Amino acid sequence: MLSVLNISAQKIIKSLNDGWSFRYPDDTKWTSVNLPHTYNEDAYRTKDYYKGKGEYFLNLKMPDIDKSRRYFIKFDAVNKSALLCVNDSVAIDHAGGYSAFCQDITPYIKNDDNKIFVTVDNSRRDVPPLSADFTFWGGIYRDVWLISTPLQHFDLCDNASSGIYVTPLNVSENSAGLKVKSRIKNDDKISTDVRLVMTLNDKSGKEVSSKTKNIKLEPNRIAVIETDLPEIQNPNLWSPENPYLYSLTAKIIDSKSGKTIDSSTIPAGFRWFSFDGDKGFKLNGRHYKLRGINRHQDLSPVGVSLDDEAHRRDIRLLKDLGCNFVRLAHYQQDDAILDECDRLGLIVWEEIPVVNMVPDENGFDDVCETNLVEMIRQHYNHPSVMIWGYMNEILLRAPSDKSNEWDAAKTRITNLANRLEKKLKEEDPNRASVMAFHGTNRYNTVGLDITDVQGWNLYQGWYGGDLSGFERYLENQHSRYPHRSLIVSEWGAGSDRRLHSNLPEPFDFSIEYQQKYIEHYLPYIEQNDYISGGAYWNFIDFNVAERQESMPRVNNKGLFYNNRKPKDVAYYFKSMWRDDIPVVHLAVNDRESVVCDDDSLTAIKIYSNCPDVELYVNGISHGVKPTVNCHAIFNVNLPEGQSKLLAKGNMRDVTETDVATVNRSKLPDLSAGETFAINVGSNCDFTSEINGQTWLTDRPYESGKWGYLNGKKRSTTSEIFNTLDGPLYQTMMEDITDYRIDAPVGRYEVELLFTDINQSGNNSPYLLGHDSNSGKTGDIIRMSIEICDKIVDPDFSPSELSGFQHAVRKKYIVENTTGSIHIHLIPLTGKTTLSALTARKL
């Protein structure tokens, strides 16, 4: 059944999302599906997800075709390309996975049944992107519409736009004008006299300006009409605090009958803005820090096939954090996103997906330009959009300057950049252009410093270097190019809620290091005017089928989990960015339990924008502390078991509280038969989501406790197979011969965990050299294992048993007769290794 979106006497718009069938080309059977839909659910399971064609079929019943009307089908997005056939005739072959396309299907349809057949292909080499840190989800993953119009109508096939383009003119606090460009199509065989009536209404519906033009429409022609409406006085200006929207109604009226033939209503917002190399960004004459986040559209288990309400929810969540800016990375996004940004007041940077590389591929540049034009024309009327982008980290995969391939690659890249910059300014001279660079000055020396704004994707202290490298890099850029406007277009660190550390380190994926990283970067962005703003990477943990790391197929830098539950650190942003309400948050949701010695103190962090906060544990106050950098830390000796926490803060006589619970466990008691588990070679505790077991941070051996006696820490970001507890195996002690656990005399089950990563397959460019073993080969690990002075495995090789990068768990029953479980590893070939271990008294 067709669900009706909007029906008027002139134009009828109906969704075509139901009743579709899908198959892969080799299949003989069709599967019933509804749209939006993706055929890449496999991207959640494997890095080698399907890249190829998928076929969609719809039997469209049209029993009442009116010869005095035109019929269009509009696809909001199909990734990466779509070949549309109607009743066995090719209607359009559209290249581009993120922009809409619209086709007049009147010549192809007939009364009653119509066969709509769409071949989708997410593998085409001439369609961007070819390389990117996100999954190329194949399918018809946004809405499809059937649109019926009279023979005279606004042009829907001008790159799937509305055919109406609204441009604010001479905007100030005192007055503002409006230019309207309309494309009117006459599909009749005779000329027609019409009136074009433009009416601008304010939010209450009151008319504030209007203009009428008489037009003679020639047969089978498009008339392009430009209209300047009379200026309005004292306009309500659009801003993040006051996202005021006027509405422009454009009507085509038959001159003879006086009847409206076609009409459209377009949002209009009045604002002006500027970028400055020293002073940053101004909107309506006022300085703003662009406080933003990058947004991907992924949502498990449906991939990118979200409904409109899911899109709108994301923007509401960003607005609640205090965002006034969003970068729609790395592609044109759903109309629902732009509508919500207009409505709620988020400034938008939108871009096309030219990512990492410009291939030597026929037609690639043409598709890029077409996609840019489509994006601009389809979203031209959104006042929230102020920045158009067209390249992201385009030198990431480029050859070195000394390579024989460099000259040709440089020419391809710079030629395309200049072509896109020129086209962008032709299409829209009133908005800013931008490219996003990664951390190399090479962009400035090869001719890519051509945009109005430079975006810098910076990850110092994550993929390499230290945290202070972030400000050093930006200060160096500003001193060398002081007149260039810049935005920190990406910055972020990953986190895995299973990993926690009291001494967090770069790239350990602990919740605590992500917090440390963010707490360093954000104040610098906020406090320096020459930085127009920043966009944190990323809003959510999102799917990247080819990524490995602690959570394979997930980029886990999100401030929210993929299900849109906020991480604790999201409240740091809220504390930094919201000054209209008090914010108090106990940052324990990502770590609901701790394991520690009897006399150990537990750090309880509170995020808040209040000047000070008070902490209560089980009803007892632990004092008041001032907040520094929007947080305070209380070191508390928690009692064993569950404790109830309450945090309290006050801002401008308004009190805010937050409550949470945290469970403290003492160290496992080996004498009581409890399992003692150690995350060997790691600075993090790891808690398994499978069994709830916490594997403790490793340590050097101390008498009466436990630890390693020798060895060297090593880690990998390669996926470890045959396990759901990958981080346990991704850190290890190498060249280790002795590990000791002092424990009561008795019979024990000892379990050792191994993997051999000496032939790793992880060559991801996004690691930027972090993974020290990437692509290396070495001798197969083979060792003899001795526990409690007895050989328990004389010739053990984890790779020969299960393969490289596969998890191996070996259990041994041993007798501890000395009060110490001594594990002795004797190398036979290669270097000994140990990833984790457990001990349990039987």
Side-chain angles (χ1 to χ4, degrees):
M1 180 178 293
L2 300 177
S3 61
V4 177
L5 174 73
N6 175 44
I7 295 182
S8 70
Q10 308 86 34
K11 185 184 296 171
I12 301 174
I13 306 174
K14 304 177 181 180
S15 68
L16 293 180
N17 288 343
D18 303 314
W20 289 82
S21 298
F22 172 79
R23 72 180 181 187
Y24 295 101
D26 293 336
D27 292 346
T28 57
K29 294 183 179 180
W30 293 89
T31 301
S32 175
V33 299
N34 288 334
L35 307 182
H37 175 264
T38 177
Y39 54 76
N40 276 127
E41 294 88 351
D42 58 336
Y44 289 117
R45 302 187 299 272
T46 176
K47 67 178 182 179
D48 299 317
Y49 67 99
Y50 176 72
K51 292 179 183 177
K53 294 180 179 180
E55 298 175 344
Y56 291 84
F57 173 77
L58 174 68
N59 183 42
L60 177 59
K61 292 184 177 295
M62 300 179 67
D64 299 313
I65 293 177
D66 186 343
K67 297 297 183 182
S68 66
R69 299 182 70 83
R70 303 297 288 188
Y71 296 86
F72 301 83
I73 190 167
K74 181 184 178 187
F75 291 79
D76 282 352
V78 179
N79 199 27
K80 278 185 173 185
S81 66
L83 179 66
L84 169 64
C85 294
V86 180
N87 293 327
D88 300 323
S89 295
V90 175
I92 189 173
D93 186 357
H94 180 261
Y98 304 94
S99 52
F101 61 95
C102 186
Q103 180 62 33
D104 186 344
I105 59 172
T106 310
Y108 310 109
I109 57 175
K110 58 185 181 180
N111 276 315
D112 209 7
D113 291 353
N114 291 271
K115 296 184 293 182
I116 309 296
F117 193 88
V118 185
T119 302
V120 182
D121 189 349
N122 67 337
S123 67
R124 278 180 53 172
R125 299 283 302 172
D126 61 333
V127 181
L130 299 187
S131 166
D133 193 25
F134 55 92
T135 299
F136 306 157
W137 301 89
I140 306 176
Y141 68 96
R142 291 184 188 154
D143 293 330
V144 178
W145 306 94
L146 179 67
I147 306 170
S148 169
T149 71
L151 294 179
Q152 295 79 32
H153 55 87
F154 292 108
D155 184 12
L156 300 177
C157 291
D158 181 25
N159 294 276
S161 70
S162 64
I164 303 169
Y165 303 96
V166 176
T167 305
L169 297 175
N170 305 317
V171 180
S172 71
E173 293 180 349
N174 300 319
S175 62
L178 201 67
K179 178 186 289 292
V180 182
K181 177 182 175 180
S182 305
R183 292 172 56 93
I184 303 174
K185 181 80 181 294
N186 182 13
D187 280 312
D188 206 345
K189 297 178 181 180
I190 59 173
S191 61
T192 305
D193 292 323
V194 299
R195 295 198 308 272
L196 175 61
V197 178
M198 301 286 181
T199 306
L200 184 68
N201 295 325
D202 66 13
K203 208 174 219 179
S204 68
K206 178 184 176 182
E207 180 181 314
V208 294
S209 184
S210 65
K211 191 73 171 282
T212 299
K213 281 191 174 183
N214 294 314
I215 304 164
K216 188 178 188 66
L217 299 178
E218 299 298 330
N220 297 309
R221 298 288 296 274
I222 296 173
V224 179
I225 312 298
E226 292 191 354
T227 307
D228 288 346
L229 271 67
E231 286 190 347
I232 64 171
Q233 303 304 307
N234 303 314
N236 281 290
L237 299 179
W238 187 98
S239 70
E241 299 79 22
N242 179 41
Y244 194 96
L245 293 175
Y246 292 82
S247 61
L248 176 85
T249 300
K251 293 183 178 181
I252 305 170
I253 297 176
D254 183 82
S255 297
K256 292 181 180 180
S257 67
K259 292 182 178 179
T260 299
I261 302 172
D262 193 11
S263 68
S264 287
T265 299
I266 307 295
F270 294 104
R271 79 287 183 276
W272 78 94
F273 65 90
S274 63
F275 286 92
D276 182 88
D278 285 321
K279 300 177 182 178
F281 176 76
K282 285 186 177 180
L283 176 66
N284 302 328
R286 171 189 164 191
H287 179 265
Y288 276 77
K289 184 67 69 174
L290 291 173
R291 295 170 167 170
I293 295 175
N294 287 271
R295 191 257 181 181
H296 265 302
Q297 57 190 7
D298 170 64
L299 176 61
S300 177
V302 299
V304 293
S305 54
L306 282 68
D307 62 33
D308 287 350
E309 191 55 38
H311 288 300
R312 287 188 284 265
R313 175 193 58 184
D314 284 359
I315 299 305
R316 291 196 297 268
L317 288 171
L318 294 182
K319 185 69 175 181
D320 182 66
L321 279 189
C323 288
N324 61 21
F325 170 55
V326 60
R327 179 186 177 206
L328 300 180
H330 294 294
Y331 39 78
Q332 180 178 336
Q333 298 197 12
D334 195 281
D335 292 345
I337 289 287
L338 280 299
D339 290 340
E340 200 73 353
C341 288
D342 288 345
R343 190 178 71 85
L344 294 182
L346 268 72
I347 296 163
V348 172
W349 161 349
E350 191 170 35
E351 63 194 46
I352 59 171
V354 187
V355 184
N356 292 0
M357 60 185 295
V358 175
D360 184 10
E361 191 76 37
N362 288 335
F364 182 86
D365 290 12
D366 295 334
V367 174
C368 293
E369 181 175 311
T370 297
N371 291 168
L372 180 66
V373 172
E374 289 172 331
M375 176 181 70
I376 293 174
R377 295 195 186 183
Q378 289 167 22
H379 289 164
Y380 185 91
N381 294 325
H382 291 281
S384 58
V385 179
M386 300 188 197
I387 311 171
W388 300 121
Y390 53 79
M391 282 184 174
N392 179 78
E393 297 186 355
I394 204 63
L395 297 180
L396 187 66
R397 290 287 190 91
S400 70
D401 295 353
K402 298 178 181 179
S403 167
N404 293 331
E405 300 174 351
W406 167 240
D407 286 342
K410 176 185 175 182
T411 299
R412 287 198 307 274
I413 293 167
T414 55
N415 283 352
L416 178 58
N418 281 283
R419 177 178 175 179
L420 295 178
E421 178 71 14
K422 181 175 183 290
K423 178 56 68 173
L424 187 155
K425 290 304 182 182
E426 289 174 357
E427 290 288 323
D428 189 357
N430 299 307
R431 289 183 171 101
S433 62
V434 69
M435 274 190 269
F437 304 157
H438 74 287
T440 169
N441 195 55
R442 196 180 182 193
Y443 289 93
N444 288 312
T445 61
V446 302
L448 291 173
D449 51 342
I450 61 175
T451 52
D452 299 320
V453 181
Q454 290 183 337
W456 284 103
N457 300 348
L458 300 177
Y459 292 92
Q460 286 85 352
W462 181 245
Y463 291 119
D466 56 44
L467 289 171
S468 62
F470 171 65
E471 54 263 35
R472 289 198 304 269
Y473 191 91
L474 287 173
E475 288 165 6
N476 178 267
Q477 282 295 314
H478 184 52
S479 65
R480 294 170 74 173
Y481 312 104
H483 301 299
R484 294 184 185 169
S485 300
L486 64 86
I487 292 175
V488 184
S489 42
E490 290 183 25
W491 59 283
S495 66
D496 183 332
R497 74 189 310 268
R498 299 171 297 175
L499 291 165
H500 293 273
S501 179
N502 293 325
L503 297 170
E505 299 173 353
F507 224 71
D508 64 7
F509 292 93
S510 68
I511 291 291
E512 290 71 24
Y513 187 78
Q514 186 188 43
Q515 294 176 2
K516 179 179 179 180
Y517 174 101
I518 290 171
E519 290 162 12
H520 179 91
Y521 271 57
L522 188 56
Y524 187 81
I525 295 172
E526 289 283 322
Q527 294 163 11
N528 287 274
D529 286 345
Y530 76 90
I531 304 173
S532 295
Y536 179 81
W537 189 267
N538 193 274
F539 166 49
I540 52 166
D541 291 350
F542 62 94
N543 176 270
V544 186
E546 295 174 355
R547 262 191 184 252
Q548 300 186 41
E549 302 176 341
S550 78
M551 297 166 62
R553 288 162 291 286
V554 175
N555 185 323
N556 57 13
K557 296 184 182 71
L559 299 182
F560 288 70
Y561 295 102
N562 189 264
N563 65 2
R564 277 52 178 179
K565 177 184 177 183
K567 298 180 183 179
D568 286 326
V569 76
Y571 292 91
Y572 173 67
F573 283 83
K574 190 170 184 176
S575 298
M576 288 286 283
W577 288 348
R578 294 291 297 268
D579 59 7
D580 56 328
I581 58 170
V583 177
V584 176
H585 177 75
L586 284 156
V588 298
N589 290 339
D590 293 325
R591 188 178 192 179
E592 297 168 355
S593 63
V594 295
V595 179
C596 53
D597 294 324
D598 291 340
D599 57 351
S600 294
L601 299 179
T602 299
I604 304 296
K605 180 184 287 188
I606 300 172
Y607 284 126
S608 180
N609 58 1
C610 299
D612 49 53
V613 288
E614 185 172 9
L615 174 68
Y616 293 82
V617 179
N618 297 322
I620 299 173
S621 174
H622 282 252
V624 177
K625 285 195 173 187
T627 54
V628 178
N629 191 12
C630 287
H631 68 275
I633 297 176
F634 293 78
N635 292 301
V636 180
N637 191 342
L638 293 173
E640 187 177 347
Q642 189 176 86
S643 290
K644 295 181 179 180
L645 309 180
L646 183 145
K648 181 185 295 185
N650 185 281
M651 174 192 284
R652 296 189 293 269
D653 296 326
V654 177
T655 298
E656 181 67 17
T657 62
D658 188 35
V659 295
T661 59
V662 63
N663 189 70
R664 178 191 175 278
S665 302
K666 63 181 181 180
L667 293 177
D669 184 355
L670 282 168
S671 64
E674 296 176 352
T675 299
F676 197 84
I678 305 165
N679 190 7
V680 175
S682 177
N683 67 306
C684 296
D685 291 354
F686 172 83
T687 301
S688 171
E689 292 183 337
I690 305 304
N691 55 26
Q693 174 71 54
T694 296
W695 306 67
L696 301 176
T697 301
D698 204 6
R699 60 198 297 176
Y701 172 73
E702 295 180 46
S703 178
K705 296 185 179 180
W706 77 91
Y708 54 86
L709 279 76
N710 51 32
K712 180 181 178 181
K713 290 183 178 181
R714 185 180 176 187
S715 64
T716 182
T717 54
S718 295
E719 180 178 0
I720 307 300
F721 301 99
N722 288 0
T723 182
L724 295 176
D725 291 332
L728 275 180
Y729 298 87
Q730 290 174 322
T731 53
M732 63 206 70
M733 291 296 292
E734 189 176 69
D735 264 344
I736 182 173
T737 60
D738 295 279
Y739 204 101
R740 189 181 297 274
I741 303 171
D742 290 345
V745 171
R747 194 164 184 249
Y748 284 82
E749 177 188 87
V750 175
E751 184 177 30
L752 306 181
L753 280 64
F754 305 91
T755 189
D756 188 341
I757 61 171
N758 282 327
Q759 292 190 11
S760 168
N762 190 353
N763 295 299
S764 170
Y766 304 101
L767 300 178
L768 302 181
H770 179 87
D771 188 2
S772 60
N773 74 289
S774 180
K776 288 187 176 181
T777 61
D779 293 332
I780 291 175
I781 295 173
R782 179 176 283 108
M783 69 186 88
S784 176
I785 301 174
E786 180 183 285
I787 305 178
C788 294
D789 299 323
K790 289 188 177 181
I791 297 291
V792 295
D793 225 329
D795 188 356
F796 168 71
S797 170
S799 60
E800 288 185 353
L801 191 65
S802 295
F804 291 102
Q805 293 174 228
H806 282 68
V808 176
R809 302 178 71 141
K810 297 289 288 186
K811 292 181 181 180
Y812 305 97
I813 307 301
V814 299
E815 293 289 341
N816 169 17
T817 60
T818 63
S820 181
I821 302 171
H822 179 205
I823 300 164
H824 184 49
L825 305 178
I826 305 164
L828 301 178
T829 62
K831 297 178 179 180
T832 57
T833 184
L834 181 62
S835 289
L837 63 87
T838 67
R840 183 172 63 90
K841 194 170 186 291
L842 300 176

